[in-house]
Amino acid sequence: MTGTARSLAPLAGAWKQAFHLATNGSGSYGKGLNLARNGAVAQIHTQPGRISAPVAAKKATHQAVIHLPELTATQWESLAARLADDPQAVADLVANRIPATIADSGHAGGISITPPSDGITFSCSCPTGRTHRVCDHSAALGHAVAERLTNSPSLLLGARGMTARALAAHVRDLVDGADPGPLPADTNGTVRAAQLYSLAAHRPPQTAPSLDLDTVTILTYTDAPLPGPRAQDLAHMTADAAARARTLLTDTTAAPHDELADILRILASPDGADHLAAAQRATGIPEATLRAMMIGYRHGGPAGAHATLAATPATRDVLEQARETLHSSRAVGLGTITLDGDALTDTTAGVQIRPGPDGRWYPFTVWRAGEWRPAPGPCDDPAEAFRAARRARAARPLRR
């Protein structure tokens, strides 16, 4: 995921520039950034031509919308044809990943996934937004989109009029039975195994050599027989495995990095829900819990997923000190903070914070029948995490 995030960084950068220009110097741009950083933006929804989300601010929640033009059918055809000529893009798409190529219009047939700044407009349920001017809430949504694009580029694809799944299917049709060519390494010198084997399925079968059984024939293969990966691809994979081994030996990996976190990384991807049944069989964790952990992963990475499954054990002194911090910071309203196992809970407000395995505090809101759902805004400061939970609770009605 790190390599994918770096390769798609230009897409987020292009969106930030276009979004900034679209706000036309409004003071809401900076105020919206503060709201987004404080976890005010709830779940983002995408439809053709619009991106929307509830945004909580000043004890009120407003529905913010960013409008942008859809790409035409001709433009999508041009983009798909250009992607079909790029082995790296084909490998990404057949492995259900968004190719980094879409972040660069120069390599995507001149088609830019990021809309021009004059094509971005705003609306909101607040008084300012009703006049179709940018407000603090729609600006916060724009910043939240930029933050999530490196991990969820399908947000922008859907708003421009095509899902990632539909684009991948179209490219598959274009390359079916053809040889897309060798797969180059990505920007950090690695090649993913899933890409290699997915790409190999689209290469024509290798013709079996003609053998004379009465004579001894020595065959030499530069590449392994298809559908296996090519020799160059194996070299890239070997180099990547060696680099990861060195990282493990020097103990510089970010905890927690384990099999469960890696499963959640896949589930949290744009098409990860398709693997829920397999993940449930592999882990024995109920589907509802896995879905909640997917949300936790999106908000806080591997640590967020683990915190959703269970709070990290903490000493009584740590919990009491955190509770004192909440009271002294006035983050608590009229409720009472109770120690609920290794978590701090305000049952009146319907919010909770839990210690995570990375030392941060993770916010949660009550969902139904005592079930807790993760919220955005994990923080080293328990008071800030508690405020993030309250903001998310205000934006999320109680499910009964």
Side-chain angles (χ1 to χ4, degrees), residues 18-57:
F19 161 63
H20 184 232
L21 291 174
T23 61
N24 198 27
S26 170
S28 290
Y29 181 86
K31 295 177 182 178
L33 178 60
N34 290 331
L35 285 176
R37 286 176 173 173
N38 289 329
V41 181
Q43 185 173 1
I44 298 176
H45 301 277
T46 300
Q47 294 175 290
R50 58 183 280 150
I51 302 173
S52 62
V55 180

PDB file of all heavy atoms in Angstrom, residues 18-57:
ATOM      1  N   ALA A  18      -6.425  22.096  -8.120  1.00  0.00           N
ATOM      2  CA  ALA A  18      -7.677  22.496  -8.771  1.00  0.00           C
ATOM      3  C   ALA A  18      -8.704  22.956  -7.737  1.00  0.00           C
ATOM      4  O   ALA A  18      -9.405  23.965  -7.941  1.00  0.00           O
ATOM      5  CB  ALA A  18      -8.238  21.327  -9.583  1.00  0.00           C
ATOM      6  N   PHE A  19      -8.802  22.239  -6.607  1.00  0.00           N
ATOM      7  CA  PHE A  19      -9.742  22.601  -5.551  1.00  0.00           C
ATOM      8  C   PHE A  19      -9.393  23.963  -4.952  1.00  0.00           C
ATOM      9  O   PHE A  19     -10.270  24.807  -4.713  1.00  0.00           O
ATOM     10  CB  PHE A  19      -9.732  21.499  -4.492  1.00  0.00           C
ATOM     11  CG  PHE A  19     -10.278  21.901  -3.153  1.00  0.00           C
ATOM     12  CD1 PHE A  19     -11.599  22.278  -3.005  1.00  0.00           C
ATOM     13  CD2 PHE A  19      -9.466  21.902  -2.030  1.00  0.00           C
ATOM     14  CE1 PHE A  19     -12.102  22.656  -1.773  1.00  0.00           C
ATOM     15  CE2 PHE A  19      -9.951  22.260  -0.796  1.00  0.00           C
ATOM     16  CZ  PHE A  19     -11.277  22.646  -0.667  1.00  0.00           C
ATOM     17  N   HIS A  20      -8.105  24.224  -4.723  1.00  0.00           N
ATOM     18  CA  HIS A  20      -7.676  25.506  -4.173  1.00  0.00           C
ATOM     19  C   HIS A  20      -8.046  26.648  -5.103  1.00  0.00           C
ATOM     20  O   HIS A  20      -8.551  27.701  -4.663  1.00  0.00           O
ATOM     21  CB  HIS A  20      -6.166  25.481  -3.916  1.00  0.00           C
ATOM     22  CG  HIS A  20      -5.655  26.729  -3.253  1.00  0.00           C
ATOM     23  ND1 HIS A  20      -4.593  27.446  -3.752  1.00  0.00           N
ATOM     24  CD2 HIS A  20      -6.066  27.404  -2.148  1.00  0.00           C
ATOM     25  CE1 HIS A  20      -4.381  28.506  -2.979  1.00  0.00           C
ATOM     26  NE2 HIS A  20      -5.256  28.492  -1.997  1.00  0.00           N
ATOM     27  N   LEU A  21      -7.802  26.472  -6.394  1.00  0.00           N
ATOM     28  CA  LEU A  21      -8.155  27.515  -7.354  1.00  0.00           C
ATOM     29  C   LEU A  21      -9.665  27.731  -7.407  1.00  0.00           C
ATOM     30  O   LEU A  21     -10.141  28.865  -7.569  1.00  0.00           O
ATOM     31  CB  LEU A  21      -7.629  27.155  -8.745  1.00  0.00           C
ATOM     32  CG  LEU A  21      -6.101  27.177  -8.921  1.00  0.00           C
ATOM     33  CD1 LEU A  21      -5.712  26.656 -10.293  1.00  0.00           C
ATOM     34  CD2 LEU A  21      -5.555  28.597  -8.721  1.00  0.00           C
ATOM     35  N   ALA A  22     -10.427  26.647  -7.241  1.00  0.00           N
ATOM     36  CA  ALA A  22     -11.885  26.760  -7.308  1.00  0.00           C
ATOM     37  C   ALA A  22     -12.453  27.549  -6.134  1.00  0.00           C
ATOM     38  O   ALA A  22     -13.513  28.168  -6.254  1.00  0.00           O
ATOM     39  CB  ALA A  22     -12.509  25.365  -7.357  1.00  0.00           C
ATOM     40  N   THR A  23     -11.760  27.552  -4.987  1.00  0.00           N
ATOM     41  CA  THR A  23     -12.250  28.315  -3.833  1.00  0.00           C
ATOM     42  C   THR A  23     -12.011  29.810  -3.994  1.00  0.00           C
ATOM     43  O   THR A  23     -12.550  30.614  -3.226  1.00  0.00           O
ATOM     44  CB  THR A  23     -11.576  27.831  -2.540  1.00  0.00           C
ATOM     45  OG1 THR A  23     -10.155  28.020  -2.633  1.00  0.00           O
ATOM     46  CG2 THR A  23     -11.880  26.364  -2.281  1.00  0.00           C
ATOM     47  N   ASN A  24     -11.177  30.182  -4.971  1.00  0.00           N
ATOM     48  CA  ASN A  24     -10.999  31.586  -5.355  1.00  0.00           C
ATOM     49  C   ASN A  24     -10.594  32.477  -4.175  1.00  0.00           C
ATOM     50  O   ASN A  24     -11.110  33.574  -3.990  1.00  0.00           O
ATOM     51  CB  ASN A  24     -12.295  32.120  -5.995  1.00  0.00           C
ATOM     52  CG  ASN A  24     -12.061  33.400  -6.796  1.00  0.00           C
ATOM     53  OD1 ASN A  24     -10.956  33.627  -7.301  1.00  0.00           O
ATOM     54  ND2 ASN A  24     -13.086  34.218  -6.917  1.00  0.00           N
ATOM     55  N   GLY A  25      -9.656  32.001  -3.367  1.00  0.00           N
ATOM     56  CA  GLY A  25      -9.136  32.808  -2.266  1.00  0.00           C
ATOM     57  C   GLY A  25     -10.062  32.966  -1.088  1.00  0.00           C
ATOM     58  O   GLY A  25      -9.830  33.819  -0.218  1.00  0.00           O
ATOM     59  N   SER A  26     -11.113  32.180  -0.997  1.00  0.00           N
ATOM     60  CA  SER A  26     -12.064  32.297   0.109  1.00  0.00           C
ATOM     61  C   SER A  26     -11.407  31.912   1.435  1.00  0.00           C
ATOM     62  O   SER A  26     -10.584  31.002   1.498  1.00  0.00           O
ATOM     63  CB  SER A  26     -13.284  31.402  -0.145  1.00  0.00           C
ATOM     64  OG  SER A  26     -14.105  31.323   0.996  1.00  0.00           O
ATOM     65  N   GLY A  27     -11.793  32.620   2.497  1.00  0.00           N
ATOM     66  CA  GLY A  27     -11.294  32.290   3.819  1.00  0.00           C
ATOM     67  C   GLY A  27     -11.759  30.924   4.295  1.00  0.00           C
ATOM     68  O   GLY A  27     -11.196  30.358   5.236  1.00  0.00           O
ATOM     69  N   SER A  28     -12.789  30.375   3.643  1.00  0.00           N
ATOM     70  CA  SER A  28     -13.289  29.054   4.022  1.00  0.00           C
ATOM     71  C   SER A  28     -12.277  27.962   3.709  1.00  0.00           C
ATOM     72  O   SER A  28     -12.347  26.873   4.288  1.00  0.00           O
ATOM     73  CB  SER A  28     -14.607  28.754   3.280  1.00  0.00           C
ATOM     74  OG  SER A  28     -15.645  29.569   3.766  1.00  0.00           O
ATOM     75  N   TYR A  29     -11.334  28.242   2.810  1.00  0.00           N
ATOM     76  CA  TYR A  29     -10.341  27.223   2.462  1.00  0.00           C
ATOM     77  C   TYR A  29      -9.538  26.817   3.699  1.00  0.00           C
ATOM     78  O   TYR A  29      -9.378  25.635   3.985  1.00  0.00           O
ATOM     79  CB  TYR A  29      -9.408  27.761   1.377  1.00  0.00           C
ATOM     80  CG  TYR A  29      -8.349  26.778   0.932  1.00  0.00           C
ATOM     81  CD1 TYR A  29      -8.624  25.848  -0.063  1.00  0.00           C
ATOM     82  CD2 TYR A  29      -7.075  26.766   1.493  1.00  0.00           C
ATOM     83  CE1 TYR A  29      -7.661  24.929  -0.477  1.00  0.00           C
ATOM     84  CE2 TYR A  29      -6.104  25.853   1.092  1.00  0.00           C
ATOM     85  CZ  TYR A  29      -6.409  24.945   0.103  1.00  0.00           C
ATOM     86  OH  TYR A  29      -5.452  24.037  -0.299  1.00  0.00           O
ATOM     87  N   GLY A  30      -9.037  27.800   4.448  1.00  0.00           N
ATOM     88  CA  GLY A  30      -8.268  27.505   5.662  1.00  0.00           C
ATOM     89  C   GLY A  30      -9.132  26.963   6.778  1.00  0.00           C
ATOM     90  O   GLY A  30      -8.729  26.052   7.508  1.00  0.00           O
ATOM     91  N   LYS A  31     -10.357  27.501   6.932  1.00  0.00           N
ATOM     92  CA  LYS A  31     -11.248  27.000   7.985  1.00  0.00           C
ATOM     93  C   LYS A  31     -11.661  25.560   7.703  1.00  0.00           C
ATOM     94  O   LYS A  31     -11.775  24.749   8.622  1.00  0.00           O
ATOM     95  CB  LYS A  31     -12.477  27.902   8.074  1.00  0.00           C
ATOM     96  CG  LYS A  31     -12.164  29.333   8.511  1.00  0.00           C
ATOM     97  CD  LYS A  31     -13.420  30.192   8.514  1.00  0.00           C
ATOM     98  CE  LYS A  31     -13.098  31.628   8.908  1.00  0.00           C
ATOM     99  NZ  LYS A  31     -14.307  32.488   8.859  1.00  0.00           N
ATOM    100  N   GLY A  32     -11.874  25.265   6.425  1.00  0.00           N
ATOM    101  CA  GLY A  32     -12.233  23.901   6.070  1.00  0.00           C
ATOM    102  C   GLY A  32     -11.111  22.922   6.356  1.00  0.00           C
ATOM    103  O   GLY A  32     -11.350  21.770   6.731  1.00  0.00           O
ATOM    104  N   LEU A  33      -9.863  23.365   6.172  1.00  0.00           N
ATOM    105  CA  LEU A  33      -8.721  22.507   6.463  1.00  0.00           C
ATOM    106  C   LEU A  33      -8.698  22.125   7.941  1.00  0.00           C
ATOM    107  O   LEU A  33      -8.449  20.969   8.298  1.00  0.00           O
ATOM    108  CB  LEU A  33      -7.422  23.210   6.069  1.00  0.00           C
ATOM    109  CG  LEU A  33      -6.119  22.456   6.356  1.00  0.00           C
ATOM    110  CD1 LEU A  33      -6.107  21.129   5.609  1.00  0.00           C
ATOM    111  CD2 LEU A  33      -4.919  23.305   5.959  1.00  0.00           C
ATOM    112  N   ASN A  34      -8.970  23.085   8.817  1.00  0.00           N
ATOM    113  CA  ASN A  34      -9.007  22.790  10.250  1.00  0.00           C
ATOM    114  C   ASN A  34     -10.126  21.803  10.585  1.00  0.00           C
ATOM    115  O   ASN A  34      -9.949  20.895  11.402  1.00  0.00           O
ATOM    116  CB  ASN A  34      -9.197  24.084  11.048  1.00  0.00           C
ATOM    117  CG  ASN A  34      -7.965  24.968  11.008  1.00  0.00           C
ATOM    118  OD1 ASN A  34      -6.847  24.478  10.883  1.00  0.00           O
ATOM    119  ND2 ASN A  34      -8.162  26.273  11.097  1.00  0.00           N
ATOM    120  N   LEU A  35     -11.286  21.983   9.954  1.00  0.00           N
ATOM    121  CA  LEU A  35     -12.396  21.057  10.194  1.00  0.00           C
ATOM    122  C   LEU A  35     -12.018  19.635   9.759  1.00  0.00           C
ATOM    123  O   LEU A  35     -12.269  18.663  10.470  1.00  0.00           O
ATOM    124  CB  LEU A  35     -13.638  21.517   9.430  1.00  0.00           C
ATOM    125  CG  LEU A  35     -14.409  22.716   9.990  1.00  0.00           C
ATOM    126  CD1 LEU A  35     -15.547  23.093   9.045  1.00  0.00           C
ATOM    127  CD2 LEU A  35     -14.973  22.391  11.367  1.00  0.00           C
ATOM    128  N   ALA A  36     -11.418  19.532   8.584  1.00  0.00           N
ATOM    129  CA  ALA A  36     -11.045  18.213   8.073  1.00  0.00           C
ATOM    130  C   ALA A  36     -10.022  17.545   8.985  1.00  0.00           C
ATOM    131  O   ALA A  36     -10.099  16.339   9.255  1.00  0.00           O
ATOM    132  CB  ALA A  36     -10.507  18.342   6.655  1.00  0.00           C
ATOM    133  N   ARG A  37      -9.036  18.312   9.448  1.00  0.00           N
ATOM    134  CA  ARG A  37      -8.009  17.746  10.325  1.00  0.00           C
ATOM    135  C   ARG A  37      -8.588  17.295  11.652  1.00  0.00           C
ATOM    136  O   ARG A  37      -8.049  16.394  12.302  1.00  0.00           O
ATOM    137  CB  ARG A  37      -6.912  18.781  10.566  1.00  0.00           C
ATOM    138  CG  ARG A  37      -5.994  18.989   9.354  1.00  0.00           C
ATOM    139  CD  ARG A  37      -5.000  20.086   9.605  1.00  0.00           C
ATOM    140  NE  ARG A  37      -4.018  20.178   8.523  1.00  0.00           N
ATOM    141  CZ  ARG A  37      -3.107  21.148   8.417  1.00  0.00           C
ATOM    142  NH1 ARG A  37      -3.046  22.105   9.337  1.00  0.00           N
ATOM    143  NH2 ARG A  37      -2.259  21.156   7.405  1.00  0.00           N
ATOM    144  N   ASN A  38      -9.683  17.919  12.085  1.00  0.00           N
ATOM    145  CA  ASN A  38     -10.304  17.564  13.353  1.00  0.00           C
ATOM    146  C   ASN A  38     -11.352  16.463  13.203  1.00  0.00           C
ATOM    147  O   ASN A  38     -12.101  16.176  14.137  1.00  0.00           O
ATOM    148  CB  ASN A  38     -10.947  18.798  13.986  1.00  0.00           C
ATOM    149  CG  ASN A  38      -9.911  19.787  14.494  1.00  0.00           C
ATOM    150  OD1 ASN A  38      -8.820  19.389  14.909  1.00  0.00           O
ATOM    151  ND2 ASN A  38     -10.228  21.068  14.458  1.00  0.00           N
ATOM    152  N   GLY A  39     -11.425  15.861  12.031  1.00  0.00           N
ATOM    153  CA  GLY A  39     -12.329  14.723  11.843  1.00  0.00           C
ATOM    154  C   GLY A  39     -13.787  15.090  11.681  1.00  0.00           C
ATOM    155  O   GLY A  39     -14.661  14.273  11.974  1.00  0.00           O
ATOM    156  N   ALA A  40     -14.072  16.312  11.195  1.00  0.00           N
ATOM    157  CA  ALA A  40     -15.462  16.747  11.064  1.00  0.00           C
ATOM    158  C   ALA A  40     -16.177  16.109   9.884  1.00  0.00           C
ATOM    159  O   ALA A  40     -17.406  16.088   9.829  1.00  0.00           O
ATOM    160  CB  ALA A  40     -15.520  18.276  10.923  1.00  0.00           C
ATOM    161  N   VAL A  41     -15.420  15.606   8.896  1.00  0.00           N
ATOM    162  CA  VAL A  41     -16.035  15.040   7.687  1.00  0.00           C
ATOM    163  C   VAL A  41     -16.351  13.566   7.929  1.00  0.00           C
ATOM    164  O   VAL A  41     -15.455  12.772   8.226  1.00  0.00           O
ATOM    165  CB  VAL A  41     -15.105  15.193   6.471  1.00  0.00           C
ATOM    166  CG1 VAL A  41     -15.766  14.618   5.217  1.00  0.00           C
ATOM    167  CG2 VAL A  41     -14.759  16.660   6.248  1.00  0.00           C
ATOM    168  N   ALA A  42     -17.630  13.206   7.799  1.00  0.00           N
ATOM    169  CA  ALA A  42     -18.049  11.814   7.989  1.00  0.00           C
ATOM    170  C   ALA A  42     -17.846  11.039   6.683  1.00  0.00           C
ATOM    171  O   ALA A  42     -17.052  11.438   5.830  1.00  0.00           O
ATOM    172  CB  ALA A  42     -19.501  11.773   8.460  1.00  0.00           C
ATOM    173  N   GLN A  43     -18.594   9.961   6.504  1.00  0.00           N
ATOM    174  CA  GLN A  43     -18.392   9.097   5.343  1.00  0.00           C
ATOM    175  C   GLN A  43     -18.667   9.856   4.042  1.00  0.00           C
ATOM    176  O   GLN A  43     -19.676  10.531   3.904  1.00  0.00           O
ATOM    177  CB  GLN A  43     -19.291   7.870   5.426  1.00  0.00           C
ATOM    178  CG  GLN A  43     -19.045   6.856   4.309  1.00  0.00           C
ATOM    179  CD  GLN A  43     -19.836   5.588   4.512  1.00  0.00           C
ATOM    180  OE1 GLN A  43     -20.591   5.466   5.468  1.00  0.00           O
ATOM    181  NE2 GLN A  43     -19.669   4.627   3.630  1.00  0.00           N
ATOM    182  N   ILE A  44     -17.758   9.715   3.093  1.00  0.00           N
ATOM    183  CA  ILE A  44     -17.875  10.401   1.810  1.00  0.00           C
ATOM    184  C   ILE A  44     -18.622   9.512   0.818  1.00  0.00           C
ATOM    185  O   ILE A  44     -18.328   8.325   0.690  1.00  0.00           O
ATOM    186  CB  ILE A  44     -16.487  10.765   1.248  1.00  0.00           C
ATOM    187  CG1 ILE A  44     -15.774  11.729   2.214  1.00  0.00           C
ATOM    188  CG2 ILE A  44     -16.596  11.393  -0.127  1.00  0.00           C
ATOM    189  CD1 ILE A  44     -14.361  12.079   1.792  1.00  0.00           C
ATOM    190  N   HIS A  45     -19.590  10.109   0.114  1.00  0.00           N
ATOM    191  CA  HIS A  45     -20.372   9.386  -0.886  1.00  0.00           C
ATOM    192  C   HIS A  45     -20.073   9.974  -2.269  1.00  0.00           C
ATOM    193  O   HIS A  45     -19.922  11.188  -2.422  1.00  0.00           O
ATOM    194  CB  HIS A  45     -21.866   9.496  -0.594  1.00  0.00           C
ATOM    195  CG  HIS A  45     -22.261   8.964   0.753  1.00  0.00           C
ATOM    196  ND1 HIS A  45     -22.495   7.626   0.994  1.00  0.00           N
ATOM    197  CD2 HIS A  45     -22.427   9.593   1.940  1.00  0.00           C
ATOM    198  CE1 HIS A  45     -22.796   7.453   2.255  1.00  0.00           C
ATOM    199  NE2 HIS A  45     -22.769   8.622   2.869  1.00  0.00           N
ATOM    200  N   THR A  46     -20.012   9.105  -3.263  1.00  0.00           N
ATOM    201  CA  THR A  46     -19.713   9.528  -4.623  1.00  0.00           C
ATOM    202  C   THR A  46     -20.821   9.086  -5.560  1.00  0.00           C
ATOM    203  O   THR A  46     -21.281   7.946  -5.499  1.00  0.00           O
ATOM    204  CB  THR A  46     -18.379   8.929  -5.105  1.00  0.00           C
ATOM    205  OG1 THR A  46     -17.331   9.377  -4.251  1.00  0.00           O
ATOM    206  CG2 THR A  46     -18.066   9.370  -6.516  1.00  0.00           C
ATOM    207  N   GLN A  47     -21.261  10.011  -6.397  1.00  0.00           N
ATOM    208  CA  GLN A  47     -22.186   9.735  -7.477  1.00  0.00           C
ATOM    209  C   GLN A  47     -21.661  10.441  -8.720  1.00  0.00           C
ATOM    210  O   GLN A  47     -20.856  11.377  -8.609  1.00  0.00           O
ATOM    211  CB  GLN A  47     -23.585  10.264  -7.152  1.00  0.00           C
ATOM    212  CG  GLN A  47     -24.274   9.564  -5.993  1.00  0.00           C
ATOM    213  CD  GLN A  47     -25.597  10.219  -5.662  1.00  0.00           C
ATOM    214  OE1 GLN A  47     -25.653  11.339  -5.142  1.00  0.00           O
ATOM    215  NE2 GLN A  47     -26.677   9.523  -5.992  1.00  0.00           N
ATOM    216  N   PRO A  48     -22.086  10.020  -9.904  1.00  0.00           N
ATOM    217  CA  PRO A  48     -21.639  10.737 -11.110  1.00  0.00           C
ATOM    218  C   PRO A  48     -21.938  12.223 -11.011  1.00  0.00           C
ATOM    219  O   PRO A  48     -23.077  12.632 -10.808  1.00  0.00           O
ATOM    220  CB  PRO A  48     -22.453  10.070 -12.228  1.00  0.00           C
ATOM    221  CG  PRO A  48     -22.712   8.681 -11.726  1.00  0.00           C
ATOM    222  CD  PRO A  48     -22.914   8.844 -10.249  1.00  0.00           C
ATOM    223  N   GLY A  49     -20.892  13.021 -11.083  1.00  0.00           N
ATOM    224  CA  GLY A  49     -21.048  14.470 -11.051  1.00  0.00           C
ATOM    225  C   GLY A  49     -21.023  15.107  -9.678  1.00  0.00           C
ATOM    226  O   GLY A  49     -21.101  16.331  -9.567  1.00  0.00           O
ATOM    227  N   ARG A  50     -20.866  14.336  -8.618  1.00  0.00           N
ATOM    228  CA  ARG A  50     -20.891  14.938  -7.279  1.00  0.00           C
ATOM    229  C   ARG A  50     -20.204  14.059  -6.239  1.00  0.00           C
ATOM    230  O   ARG A  50     -20.191  12.836  -6.339  1.00  0.00           O
ATOM    231  CB  ARG A  50     -22.327  15.240  -6.836  1.00  0.00           C
ATOM    232  CG  ARG A  50     -23.235  14.037  -6.821  1.00  0.00           C
ATOM    233  CD  ARG A  50     -24.659  14.424  -6.453  1.00  0.00           C
ATOM    234  NE  ARG A  50     -24.818  14.592  -5.012  1.00  0.00           N
ATOM    235  CZ  ARG A  50     -25.682  15.411  -4.448  1.00  0.00           C
ATOM    236  NH1 ARG A  50     -26.435  16.205  -5.193  1.00  0.00           N
ATOM    237  NH2 ARG A  50     -25.795  15.485  -3.141  1.00  0.00           N
ATOM    238  N   ILE A  51     -19.634  14.736  -5.235  1.00  0.00           N
ATOM    239  CA  ILE A  51     -19.055  14.097  -4.061  1.00  0.00           C
ATOM    240  C   ILE A  51     -19.690  14.769  -2.852  1.00  0.00           C
ATOM    241  O   ILE A  51     -19.727  16.013  -2.775  1.00  0.00           O
ATOM    242  CB  ILE A  51     -17.525  14.271  -4.009  1.00  0.00           C
ATOM    243  CG1 ILE A  51     -16.863  13.694  -5.266  1.00  0.00           C
ATOM    244  CG2 ILE A  51     -16.936  13.611  -2.778  1.00  0.00           C
ATOM    245  CD1 ILE A  51     -15.379  13.987  -5.365  1.00  0.00           C
ATOM    246  N   SER A  52     -20.207  14.000  -1.904  1.00  0.00           N
ATOM    247  CA  SER A  52     -20.925  14.591  -0.771  1.00  0.00           C
ATOM    248  C   SER A  52     -20.549  13.894   0.525  1.00  0.00           C
ATOM    249  O   SER A  52     -20.054  12.758   0.523  1.00  0.00           O
ATOM    250  CB  SER A  52     -22.439  14.516  -0.993  1.00  0.00           C
ATOM    251  OG  SER A  52     -22.861  13.166  -1.089  1.00  0.00           O
ATOM    252  N   ALA A  53     -20.810  14.590   1.628  1.00  0.00           N
ATOM    253  CA  ALA A  53     -20.560  14.016   2.950  1.00  0.00           C
ATOM    254  C   ALA A  53     -21.184  14.904   4.011  1.00  0.00           C
ATOM    255  O   ALA A  53     -21.263  16.132   3.833  1.00  0.00           O
ATOM    256  CB  ALA A  53     -19.060  13.876   3.221  1.00  0.00           C
ATOM    257  N   PRO A  54     -21.630  14.336   5.135  1.00  0.00           N
ATOM    258  CA  PRO A  54     -22.029  15.160   6.278  1.00  0.00           C
ATOM    259  C   PRO A  54     -20.787  15.759   6.936  1.00  0.00           C
ATOM    260  O   PRO A  54     -19.779  15.075   7.094  1.00  0.00           O
ATOM    261  CB  PRO A  54     -22.732  14.163   7.210  1.00  0.00           C
ATOM    262  CG  PRO A  54     -22.937  12.919   6.405  1.00  0.00           C
ATOM    263  CD  PRO A  54     -21.867  12.906   5.370  1.00  0.00           C
ATOM    264  N   VAL A  55     -20.869  17.034   7.312  1.00  0.00           N
ATOM    265  CA  VAL A  55     -19.748  17.716   7.964  1.00  0.00           C
ATOM    266  C   VAL A  55     -20.267  18.364   9.242  1.00  0.00           C
ATOM    267  O   VAL A  55     -21.225  19.151   9.209  1.00  0.00           O
ATOM    268  CB  VAL A  55     -19.119  18.781   7.040  1.00  0.00           C
ATOM    269  CG1 VAL A  55     -17.952  19.466   7.737  1.00  0.00           C
ATOM    270  CG2 VAL A  55     -18.658  18.155   5.729  1.00  0.00           C
ATOM    271  N   ALA A  56     -19.643  18.025  10.369  1.00  0.00           N
ATOM    272  CA  ALA A  56     -20.075  18.547  11.663  1.00  0.00           C
ATOM    273  C   ALA A  56     -19.246  19.766  12.037  1.00  0.00           C
ATOM    274  O   ALA A  56     -18.023  19.744  11.950  1.00  0.00           O
ATOM    275  CB  ALA A  56     -19.936  17.473  12.739  1.00  0.00           C
ATOM    276  N   ALA A  57     -19.919  20.839  12.451  1.00  0.00           N
ATOM    277  CA  ALA A  57     -19.229  22.062  12.886  1.00  0.00           C
ATOM    278  C   ALA A  57     -20.164  22.881  13.753  1.00  0.00           C
ATOM    279  O   ALA A  57     -21.337  23.072  13.414  1.00  0.00           O
ATOM    280  CB  ALA A  57     -18.773  22.883  11.688  1.00  0.00           C
TER     281      ALA A  57
END
